[in-house]
């Protein structure tokens, strides 16, 4: 949580440096924990973490596991932390940090949302090309496993080209999937 906190601070203080730092972490680590920290920062700041997000987009596991994280955290009882007595000071510190991390606004979103956001800026073409490439790598429909189908659905959800603007009854414009 300390690294995540520092990276989120860096994103505020020096946004131009963050993407390079995230790419460096991804290229030098084989730790899923560090990948999760990078994913968190990318979710918080998709527009300044574009290259790191493009790397994560190529990882089916990163995208699908982050979706699981989002679902799991939506049911996390971190607000119940502290209701049980803690006799170990380190557990109190951990619970406090966990609760603070859970309350960050970006924790309500996942990498899919960050990839969608990335398409609203200069990385749009790179995202579209990567999505097309990943779709072309899928096995044929009739041979797909449940995980393959989940990945295909995730690729579909992340691709803004799959959505079209529609007018609502009240005159508002909204986005509706095709």
């Amino acid at each position: 949580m300390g690294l995540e906190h520092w990276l989120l601070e860096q994103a505020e203080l020096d946004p131009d440096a963050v993407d390079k730092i995230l790419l460096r972490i991804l290229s030098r680590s084989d730790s899923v924990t560090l990948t999760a920290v990078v994913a968190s920062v990318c979710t918080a700041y998709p527009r300044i973490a574009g290259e790191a997000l493009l790397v994560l987009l190529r990882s089916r596991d990163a995208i699908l596991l982050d979706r699981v994280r989002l679902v799991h955290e939506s049911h996390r009882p971190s607000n119940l932390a502290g209701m049980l007595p803690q006799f170990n000071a380190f557990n109190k510190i951990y619970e406090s940090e966990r609760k603070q991390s859970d309350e960050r606004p970006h924790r309500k979103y996942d990498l899919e949302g960050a990839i969608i956001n990335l398409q609203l800026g200069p990385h749009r073409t790179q995202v579209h090309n990567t999505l097309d490439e990943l779709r072309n790598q899928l096995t044929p429909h009739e041979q797909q496993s449940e995980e393959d189908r989940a990945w295909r659905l995730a690729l579909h959800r992340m691709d803004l080209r799959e959505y079209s603007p529609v007018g609502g009854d009240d005159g508002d414009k909204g986005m509706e999937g095709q």
Side-chain angles (χ1 to χ4, degrees), residues 20-158:
K20 290 178 187 139
I21 295 169
L22 298 176
L23 286 169
R24 194 169 188 191
I25 291 169
L26 288 173
S27 69
R28 294 183 177 201
S29 171
D30 59 0
S31 166
V32 71
T33 303
L34 291 177
T35 302
V37 169
V38 170
S40 176
V41 175
C42 287
T43 302
Y45 295 99
R47 301 272 176 92
I48 64 171
E51 294 300 322
L53 261 172
L54 287 167
V55 169
L56 292 172
L57 173 57
R58 293 185 172 281
S59 171
R60 174 193 298 212
D61 290 338
I63 300 294
L64 296 178
L65 286 173
D66 194 53
R67 173 53 63 116
V68 171
R69 183 237 6 122
L70 177 66
V71 171
H72 178 70
E73 286 184 359
S74 70
H75 301 296
R76 178 176 294 185
S78 64
N79 55 351
L80 299 178
M83 291 185 74
L84 299 174
Q86 288 293 321
F87 302 108
N88 183 328
F90 290 114
N91 287 346
K92 283 183 181 181
I93 292 168
Y94 173 78
E95 275 189 14
S96 173
E97 287 179 349
R98 179 77 264 156
K99 186 174 181 187
Q100 182 182 12
S101 180
D102 287 349
E103 291 171 354
R104 294 183 191 275
H106 74 276
R107 301 298 288 186
K108 297 178 203 149
Y109 304 101
D110 63 358
L111 285 170
E112 288 185 26
I115 296 296
I116 289 169
N117 243 314
L118 194 59
Q119 293 170 72
L120 301 175
H123 289 90
R124 174 183 20 257
T125 302
Q126 290 172 282
V127 172
H128 292 165
N129 291 341
T130 302
L131 289 169
D132 291 342
E133 181 183 322
L134 292 168
R135 266 197 202 93
N136 289 334
Q137 294 171 1
L138 287 171
T139 57
H141 285 289
E142 52 283 343
Q143 297 173 7
Q144 288 181 355
S145 67
E146 196 62 33
E147 186 176 307
D148 292 333
R149 286 190 286 277
W151 179 233
R152 188 180 74 229
L153 181 59
L155 293 173
H156 179 77
R157 282 191 306 258
M158 288 185 283

Side-chain angles (χ1 to χ4, degrees), residues 3-23:
L3 176 61
E4 179 186 30
H5 181 74
W6 180 80
L7 287 167
L8 292 170
E9 281 182 347
Q10 287 302 115
E12 293 289 329
L13 298 172
D14 190 6
D16 295 333
V18 171
D19 206 20
K20 290 178 187 139
I21 295 169
L22 298 176
L23 286 169

